[in-house]
Amino acid sequence: MTNEPTGNFVVAADIGSNGKLSLSRAVATHGLGSHGISSPIGPDALFSQGAVKASVAGGILAVVNPGSNTISAFSINPNDPSAITMIGEPVSSEGEFPMSLAVNDAGTVFCALNGGAVAGVNCFSVDKQKGLVSMPNTLRALNLNQTTPPNGPPGTTSHIVFNEAGNQLIASVKGVPPTPGFLAVWDIDSDGSLSESFTAIQPQPTGALPFSMTVIPGQDALLVTDPGVGFDIFDFNAQPAANGTAGGKSSAVPIDGQSATCWSSFSSKTGNFYLTDIGTGIVTEVNVDSNLKGTIVKQYPQGNGTATIDNEVATVNNNDFLYVLAANATAIHVLSLPAPGKAQLIQTLDFAGPIEAAGLTINPDNVQGMTAFVQA
């Protein structure tokens, strides 16, 4: 999404059978973008992953509008998926500065994470005529003592996800060193309501800034990027120690030479995770074994100064492709993932030129979000 303060747009591209992209259209969200307060100002305006989220099961797309504290929903045409149509009107996020979204497996519930002065979560049911409808007993506060827009990246919210079982909602919050960040975990009742309070789980001692969260399949665990070290592994089967730190097989794994590793996704084809670093412009491929031990497989430089942020894996014709938003280069890098350790750059798609030619504003410091929709 363009995330412009004068008006937010979703930019859609078609995915070809070879995984390559062709720009299709830009659609207004009828909301406003915003940029968190940072020094210096640069890409990663929302300090987040998940600003744009699509559901194949629900045939729906949702987008945050952080500058107007709203969320917009769109129906997706299965025969022409880049043809999106707004459902209803943008709805209040029930907080300030919404910056991340999660959707359940059925595509019937979206939950939003607010990161401003009114920080916390709220969930919405999907109505195909009305759009998003706020659900009772899901508005929960984080009490972070932030501002709107928030000051960061340290001390800000980052990402919201459902766990693999779908019975917990999890939000990541970065720390302000030396104070570590934490994951806020709410239990989900059978009626969709959230537990009144959350359980705070801290990373291992060397972890500090939990950012994106990607489910480790079949393990009740998460790989969590951490720009303070590299990445953390949270094992939810382990009993928390008295201080709230996850025990057992949880760990903090350094990435030597990393600057700010903040975004992640998983490839079912390779069985590995792909992490992006805004500072170095490097994609790091990571393997997590059955004992939840994380190791670095290979690294793929995408160019100095490209500011690689959000990424997403999509499966097309039984092949996996990694899409990386290189914000500062106003481009999307497409990498094929034929096998572990074999990622290969196959396309660099410039989106600034066509967007500006269409009369829209695009700013490398504002653009944020990446999601994929592949019709089953």
Side-chain angles (χ1 to χ4, degrees):
M1 67 183 197
T2 63
N3 188 40
E4 283 297 312
T6 54
N8 193 12
F9 282 79
V10 178
V11 178
D14 293 318
I15 303 176
S17 58
N18 60 359
K20 293 184 179 180
L21 301 177
S22 55
L23 286 171
S24 175
R25 68 200 75 195
V27 180
T29 68
H30 297 276
L32 305 178
S34 186
H35 198 299
I37 301 168
S38 61
S39 182
I41 291 289
D44 184 27
L46 308 184
F47 315 136
S48 77
Q49 179 165 313
V52 183
K53 202 71 181 174
S55 167
V56 173
I60 191 167
L61 171 80
V63 182
V64 299
N65 299 304
S68 50
N69 302 325
T70 60
I71 302 164
S72 301
F74 300 82
S75 63
I76 299 174
N77 182 343
N79 298 316
D80 184 9
S82 62
I84 58 175
T85 304
M86 181 174 285
I87 311 171
E89 296 295 327
V91 297
S92 170
S93 67
E94 305 296 339
E96 295 182 4
F97 201 80
M99 30 61 69
S100 183
L101 296 165
V103 61
N104 67 346
D105 287 345
T108 57
V109 174
F110 279 88
C111 295
L113 178 60
N114 291 291
V118 183
V121 301
N122 194 66
C123 297
F124 305 82
S125 60
V126 177
D127 184 298
K128 291 300 179 71
Q129 280 73 46
K130 298 177 182 177
L132 300 181
V133 179
S134 186
M135 295 173 59
N137 300 313
T138 63
L139 180 60
R140 300 292 184 256
L142 275 168
N143 300 315
L144 297 181
N145 194 30
Q146 263 292 356
T147 58
T148 301
N151 276 275
T156 63
T157 52
S158 302
H159 196 197
I160 185 171
V161 297
F162 288 93
N163 69 337
E164 189 173 34
N167 59 8
Q168 290 180 324
L169 185 68
I170 307 167
S172 54
V173 179
K174 309 172 203 70
V176 181
T179 303
F182 62 94
L183 302 188
V185 183
W186 289 270
D187 292 325
I188 303 173
D189 206 341
S190 57
D191 65 356
S193 62
L194 302 181
S195 54
E196 297 250 347
S197 57
F198 62 83
T199 299
I201 302 178
Q202 294 180 352
Q204 292 297 291
T206 53
L209 300 161
F211 202 108
S212 74
M213 300 174 285
T214 300
V215 167
I216 301 173
Q219 292 274 31
D220 194 20
L222 295 173
L223 182 146
V224 181
T225 55
D226 188 329
V229 58
F231 64 95
D232 307 317
I233 292 174
F234 285 80
D235 175 17
F236 288 92
N237 284 314
Q239 293 297 316
N243 64 355
T245 303
K249 293 174 284 188
S250 299
S251 59
V253 183
I255 297 177
D256 291 341
Q258 72 98 33
S259 172
T261 304
C262 299
W263 297 268
S264 57
S265 55
F266 175 76
S267 164
S268 56
K269 174 85 173 183
T270 67
N272 288 341
F273 298 80
Y274 296 84
L275 287 53
T276 42
D277 186 324
I278 189 174
T280 64
I282 291 175
V283 174
T284 299
E285 182 176 353
V286 169
N287 177 263
V288 179
D289 67 15
S290 58
N291 291 315
L292 295 182
K293 180 182 179 183
T295 55
I296 296 170
V297 175
K298 194 172 180 179
Q299 293 187 304
Y300 309 93
Q302 300 301 300
N304 291 333
T306 54
T308 48
I309 55 173
D310 298 83
N311 65 65
E312 180 90 342
V313 172
T315 302
V316 182
N317 292 334
N318 295 316
N319 296 308
D320 274 8
F321 298 90
L322 175 68
Y323 300 91
V324 179
L325 178 56
N328 211 43
T330 56
I332 299 171
H333 292 194
V334 184
L335 290 80
S336 64
L337 306 176
K342 301 293 185 181
Q344 182 179 6
L345 180 69
I346 62 171
Q347 182 188 19
T348 300
L349 176 74
D350 167 64
F351 55 79
I355 289 174
E356 290 171 344
L360 299 181
T361 301
I362 191 73
N363 184 329
D365 291 346
N366 290 338
V367 64
Q368 184 101 59
M370 175 77 71
T371 193
F373 178 97
V374 179
Q375 184 67 21

